[in-house]
Amino acid sequence: MRMPRRGLVIQARTRWLLVGLALLFSLVLLMYLLECAPQTDGNGSLPGVVGETMGKEYYQALLQEQEEHYQNRATSLKRQIAQLKQELQEMSDKLKSLQEKKSPKVNGMNYQGTKEQTSNDLLEFLHSQIDKAEVSVGAKLPSEYGVIPFESFTSMKVFQLEMGLTRHPEEKPVRKDKRDELVEVIEAGLEVINNPDEEDGQDEDDGVGDKQLYSENDFIEGYYRTERDKGTQYELFYKKMDGMEYRHVTLFRPFGPLMKVKSETVDISRSIINVIVPLAGRTEAFAQFMQNFRDVCIHQDKRVHLTVVYFGQDGLSEVKSILESVARETDFHNYTLVSLNEEFNRGRGLDMGARAWEKGEVLMFFCDVDVYFTAEFLNSCRLNAEPGKKVFYPVVFSLYNPAIVYANQDIPPPVEQQLVHKKDSGFWRDFGFGMTCQYRTDFLTVGGFDLEVKGWGGEDVHLYRKYLHGELMVVRTPVPGLFHLWHEKHCADELTPEQYRMCIQSKAMNEASHSHLGMLVFREEIEAHLRKQAYRTNSEAAG
């Protein structure tokens, strides 16, 4: 059905009326917005439409709001930090108050003083430990057992007295802390030498570029000992390969950091040693001794005088012949032969040898015919004895009976091959005090040997005790270059009970190690066991 034409006209008019009303409403709304818009300062606006001015003001307001927010946040954080500081200060004050209540007071003042005062007190205490220790001067001791012996070491090995059942007379430090300790000490000594203080008295400007720097390779030997209530003392010696001057550094660790005691240059190039040997008979042993003397003293060291004090007439001509033969072959004439037609007395022999020297002060080495020493030992002798200050009592490494040590060989090896520091080859003779290096004036001042002691043993202990009771320092340490060769001992019936006991003790100690002596004691039991084992083996084979 078709719609009438008049309805279409009405419908069109109505549509246009609605559109007109909408436009009118929009116009009125626009006029209202323009009329209600806020007025702005002309200087704050840029040329353009109104929307641009409104946008700038909006962002300015937004930035201002954010700035105020962060300022408020910063103020709040500052306030919290101030509160934390105040609380921390209160806690610190409480802790300090508790420490002051617990800490002792010295002279009415709190021990927890300023840092500077604490540091000064610590240094004063550490230096007092050095003053109390036997570092610069000797200490008076009640007996020969009161001295604290040193232990010697090189950059690779330690030579120690206390062995027990697990340690060895010569060994590399097994514990890392011990290795680190010795390395630290050697490096500390190098630091002292290469960077000396003014108080060391060393001339650093001897010549342009002439200053010698020392390294670990220049370390020769060292000694250390610990006084349990004071600290550890270290005596270090350095030497350049092509020089004769030794650098001696003494360090002390007072249960804290190492502290330098002194640093000095020791020149031993002109130090003569008078080797004094008392002798009676035993010409074969003397011939062996002179072979060692020829190799070490005449060919290598060349700064030694030999004094032989011979007792009796038997063998005297042979001793003279040996000395004259060595003199002809080596052009060595620095020796003295003192002949005494009396019974052997070691103390009297050494005393006569010391008094036979007529050239003033001299370093003496009291030696025995059974002792083997190296050129390095002679330098240790020079470095550790000082007139009026210290005497050197090295601990000898005593070799066992080679017939027992090398029983599994047809014949024992040459003496030079027996000179090893092993538990089954020998021991540190820490009960012997016969080998010593000391200056002649010190020996005479202390009164020398007790000449009332007759026969074997005892005279060396008496002299040793004299030094312990005096002011001189006694340096007691095992040294690697000093050996006592085994020889058969006879304990005479004429000896006093004390001497006879010492002689038997020495004889037993010299024979063999604990394990080797055990093998000898149980030899019959071992042989019986071996016979049973052989019989059982043969029976099983026959069956």
Side-chain angles (χ1 to χ4, degrees):
M1 183 172 106
R2 298 179 63 182
M3 182 177 289
R5 182 177 179 85
R6 185 177 177 176
L8 293 173
V9 173
I10 294 173
Q11 186 177 6
R13 288 179 179 177
T14 303
R15 184 181 300 114
W16 284 108
L17 180 62
L18 292 173
V19 170
L21 291 172
L23 290 174
L24 179 61
F25 179 79
S26 299
L27 179 61
V28 173
L29 180 60
L30 178 60
M31 292 177 65
Y32 174 79
L33 291 174
L34 290 175
E35 190 69 20
C36 295
Q39 298 297 321
T40 61
D41 187 6
N43 296 332
S45 62
L46 294 174
V49 298
V50 176
E52 291 178 354
T53 304
M54 288 179 61
K56 178 181 178 182
E57 293 174 351
Y58 172 79
Y59 287 115
Q60 286 178 343
L62 184 62
L63 289 174
Q64 184 177 1
E65 181 181 355
Q66 292 293 329
E67 184 178 358
E68 292 175 354
H69 171 74
Y70 287 119
Q71 286 178 350
N72 294 335
R73 178 62 176 168
T75 303
S76 175
L77 290 174
K78 290 179 179 179
R79 185 169 57 253
Q80 294 180 37
I81 291 174
Q83 292 175 352
L84 289 174
K85 285 183 177 181
Q86 183 178 1
E87 293 175 3
L88 182 61
Q89 182 64 38
E90 292 174 356
M91 294 178 64
S92 177
D93 293 340
K94 291 180 180 179
L95 180 60
K96 184 176 181 180
S97 176
L98 291 174
Q99 289 177 341
E100 290 175 352
K101 291 180 180 180
K102 293 182 178 181
S103 62
K105 293 187 177 182
V106 181
N107 296 331
M109 297 180 62
N110 200 301
Y111 189 73
Q112 300 288 334
T114 63
K115 291 183 179 179
E116 181 178 356
Q117 181 62 38
T118 302
S119 178
N120 292 336
D121 292 342
L122 176 59
L123 287 175
E124 183 178 352
F125 169 76
L126 295 178
H127 282 288
S128 70
Q129 291 289 79
I130 297 179
D131 295 336
K132 295 176 184 177
E134 192 181 356
V135 176
S136 301
V137 296
K140 294 184 179 181
L141 303 173
S143 70
E144 64 271 23
Y145 302 104
V147 69
I148 302 176
F150 286 83
E151 292 190 344
S152 57
F153 66 97
T154 64
S155 57
M156 297 298 294
K157 295 180 180 179
V158 174
F159 305 92
Q160 52 204 4
L161 288 176
E162 300 295 334
M163 294 186 296
L165 296 177
T166 59
R167 300 174 66 188
H168 301 277
E170 170 196 287
E171 67 179 15
K172 295 181 179 180
V174 178
R175 291 171 55 96
K176 181 179 183 299
D177 57 348
K178 193 62 181 178
R179 294 197 303 270
D180 293 345
E181 175 198 0
L182 297 182
V183 169
E184 178 194 5
V185 169
I186 294 173
E187 291 179 350
L190 289 172
E191 178 67 20
V192 171
I193 294 174
N194 292 330
N195 299 286
D197 297 334
E198 293 182 0
E199 62 188 42
D200 293 335
Q202 299 175 24
D203 297 330
E204 298 186 30
D205 300 326
D206 292 340
V208 178
D210 289 341
K211 180 180 178 182
Q212 284 188 322
L213 293 179
Y214 286 73
S215 67
E216 292 84 354
N217 296 330
D218 300 320
F219 176 70
I220 303 300
E221 62 182 355
Y223 311 108
Y224 69 92
R225 66 176 177 180
T226 299
E227 296 184 61
R228 288 184 171 87
D229 59 338
K230 299 178 183 68
T232 303
Q233 174 186 352
Y234 303 90
E235 302 290 339
L236 310 174
F237 296 95
Y238 304 80
K239 185 180 80 71
K240 285 293 184 182
M241 185 68 68
D242 55 349
M244 282 305 300
E245 279 193 352
Y246 283 76
R247 295 304 309 275
H248 176 206
V249 177
T250 300
L251 300 176
F252 188 76
R253 189 196 300 273
F255 297 117
L258 287 170
M259 299 181 66
K260 184 188 70 176
V261 177
K262 66 178 179 180
S263 176
E264 61 183 358
T265 298
V266 183
D267 184 7
I268 61 172
S269 60
R270 299 181 181 180
S271 179
I272 303 297
I273 298 180
N274 184 15
V275 179
I276 304 176
V277 181
L279 185 63
R282 308 200 58 209
T283 54
E284 291 184 2
F286 182 69
Q288 185 180 40
F289 173 85
M290 287 304 299
Q291 183 60 47
N292 174 230
F293 185 89
R294 179 203 300 246
D295 295 339
V296 173
C297 300
I298 300 177
H299 292 160
Q300 297 182 47
D301 192 85
K302 302 177 182 179
R303 291 163 293 160
V304 174
H305 184 94
L306 175 63
T307 299
V308 179
V309 181
Y310 195 85
F311 290 82
Q313 297 298 317
D314 293 340
L316 177 59
S317 59
E318 295 180 56
V319 170
K320 288 182 178 180
S321 177
I322 293 172
L323 290 172
E324 292 171 356
S325 175
V326 171
R328 286 194 306 269
E329 295 173 3
T330 62
D331 195 26
F332 176 79
H333 301 284
N334 296 326
Y335 71 89
T336 302
L337 176 61
V338 179
S339 177
L340 298 177
N341 191 18
E342 55 188 75
E343 184 182 357
F344 178 79
N345 183 308
R346 184 177 186 272
R348 174 160 169 73
L350 294 172
D351 187 83
M352 290 296 296
R355 298 179 187 278
W357 180 269
E358 299 177 348
K359 300 178 182 179
E361 183 67 289
V362 68
L363 176 59
M364 304 182 300
F365 171 38
F366 293 161
C367 189
D368 284 343
V369 72
D370 301 299
V371 168
Y372 185 102
F373 54 87
T374 65
E376 289 75 19
F377 165 74
L378 294 178
N379 285 333
S380 298
C381 180
R382 295 181 174 100
L383 293 169
N384 290 285
E386 189 173 353
K389 293 187 177 181
K390 56 185 179 180
V391 293
F392 187 40
Y393 272 86
V395 181
V396 182
F397 192 78
S398 190
L399 298 177
Y400 292 133
N401 187 347
I404 299 177
V405 176
Y406 305 99
N408 59 342
Q409 302 182 18
D410 295 335
I411 58 173
V415 172
E416 290 75 15
Q417 297 180 19
Q418 299 179 28
L419 306 178
V420 291
H421 301 91
K422 294 184 178 179
K423 295 182 72 173
D424 286 335
S425 64
F427 68 99
W428 291 114
R429 198 183 186 89
D430 57 340
F431 58 84
F433 308 97
M435 307 307 116
T436 174
C437 297
Q438 52 193 261
Y439 277 85
R440 184 174 182 270
T441 54
D442 294 331
F443 174 78
L444 297 177
T445 300
V446 82
F449 288 103
D450 184 356
L451 301 182
E452 297 300 321
V453 178
K454 304 295 183 183
W456 188 93
E459 78 290 333
D460 51 356
V461 179
H462 285 83
L463 177 63
Y464 186 65
R465 289 172 179 171
K466 287 182 179 180
Y467 284 116
L468 296 181
H469 297 162
E471 300 292 339
L472 270 65
M473 184 187 306
V474 176
V475 179
R476 178 77 166 159
T477 178
V479 290
L482 191 61
F483 296 86
H484 182 272
L485 305 180
W486 180 89
H487 63 89
E488 190 172 357
K489 286 184 177 292
H490 298 282
C491 299
D493 294 335
E494 294 79 12
L495 296 176
T496 65
E498 177 66 15
Q499 288 178 322
Y500 191 83
R501 184 192 64 81
M502 294 173 62
C503 184
I504 290 296
Q505 179 187 24
S506 177
K507 185 175 181 178
M509 291 288 293
N510 282 339
E511 201 64 23
S513 66
H514 189 99
S515 60
H516 277 156
L517 287 176
M519 296 294 287
L520 292 175
V521 171
F522 299 108
R523 180 171 55 185
E524 293 182 1
E525 183 178 339
I526 295 171
E527 290 177 351
H529 173 74
L530 293 177
R531 286 195 299 268
K532 291 179 182 179
Q533 290 282 23
Y535 176 78
R536 187 179 304 167
T537 302
N538 293 334
S539 299
E540 292 176 355

